[in-house]
Amino acid sequence: MKDNYNLRIDGNKVLLVPYRRTFVENYHKWMSDPDLLVLTASEPLALKEEYEMQISWHIDPKKCTFILLQKSKFDESKLTGRKEIDCEISSMCGDVNLFFNNYENSSDAEIEVMIAEPDCRRQGIAFEAVSIMMRYGIQKLGAKRFFAKISSSNEASQKLFRRLGFEECNYVACFDEHEYHLMVDEDVKESILDSTKYIIEREYEVSD
């Protein structure tokens, strides 16, 4: 999606930056991990295919992706005088995505989050990243319902989305997958916007 390609969103624990070409190599390393492939229900890709995927996601109007940077690590790295892009690459910790693939209801958004770096888990990064992404989806992309498909083995992700107010709405036995959803009525919208009102949006200027 091109809408967020020049946008950085600053939270308290995480920075959301667009998925640029400079992040592909690190992303590919993550997605070579068998455990992450299982948790994200993904197929392994060659590095060349990963670069092609990054381009296709950039131009696809139904896919919105942000790379997650651990804010504390990014801030510490900047103090050393390193280049901004090097600070970003060294503080990468995961990604968060929205997919608008429901052709019958264009305001339905599937949401995914991955914290790929083990030392960045259980720190509230995923919670904040999803909250900020929902804010962006509501304000900028017109999302009125969020849903997440989660493997039965991924108990941490199920717990995360329940904490965010999602309720289980379906189970697909053949994939052993639970679906959780959150309807964005006025109360939910107000709650999400209020809980993330501290975020700062900046123009993202780092080149590929």
Side-chain angles (χ1 to χ4, degrees), residues 29 146 158 202:
K29 290 177 183 177
F146 296 102
Q158 292 188 60
R202 307 178 186 273

Side-chain angles (χ1 to χ4, degrees), residues 4-157:
N4 69 320
Y5 208 59
N6 294 100
L7 174 66
R8 184 180 110 180
I9 306 176
D10 296 10
N12 290 330
K13 298 180 178 182
V14 66
L15 308 178
L16 281 65
V17 297
Y19 185 25
R20 298 285 189 90
R21 183 178 178 84
T22 47
F23 299 127
V24 172
E25 190 170 335
N26 257 25
Y27 190 87
H28 176 66
K29 290 177 183 177
W30 291 340
M31 301 315 293
S32 298
D33 182 330
D35 292 334
L36 282 179
L37 289 173
V38 171
L39 289 174
T40 59
S42 302
E43 295 293 330
L45 298 176
L47 182 57
K48 179 182 177 182
E49 293 174 310
E50 209 76 75
Y51 277 107
E52 293 169 350
M53 182 71 74
Q54 184 271 330
I55 293 171
S56 72
W57 281 33
H58 167 53
I59 63 177
D60 190 333
K62 296 186 180 297
K63 294 182 174 66
C64 180
T65 297
F66 283 99
I67 292 293
L68 305 179
L69 312 180
Q70 185 182 18
K71 188 176 185 298
S72 60
K73 188 178 291 187
F74 175 79
D75 291 342
E76 290 170 7
S77 186
K78 285 197 71 175
L79 293 175
T80 66
R82 300 170 68 189
K83 292 181 179 179
E84 181 114 341
I85 186 59
D86 293 332
C87 297
E88 292 183 352
I89 291 172
S90 66
S91 60
M92 288 173 63
C93 64
D95 72 340
V96 64
N97 308 286
L98 288 177
F99 305 107
F100 291 86
N101 292 326
N102 186 340
Y103 293 96
E104 295 181 355
N105 191 340
S106 61
S107 63
D108 262 21
E110 181 177 359
I111 189 163
E112 294 181 348
V113 64
M114 173 182 72
I115 304 301
E117 296 293 337
D119 63 351
C120 294
R121 295 170 187 161
R122 301 185 183 280
Q123 296 185 24
I125 292 175
F127 187 96
E128 183 175 54
V130 172
S131 298
I132 293 173
M133 187 58 138
M134 289 196 295
R135 177 190 183 94
Y136 183 78
I138 292 168
Q139 287 195 315
K140 309 295 186 181
L141 305 176
K144 295 183 179 179
R145 174 180 175 265
F146 296 102
F147 67 97
K149 297 178 180 179
I150 308 170
S151 167
S152 288
S153 63
N154 195 344
E155 295 180 1
S157 188

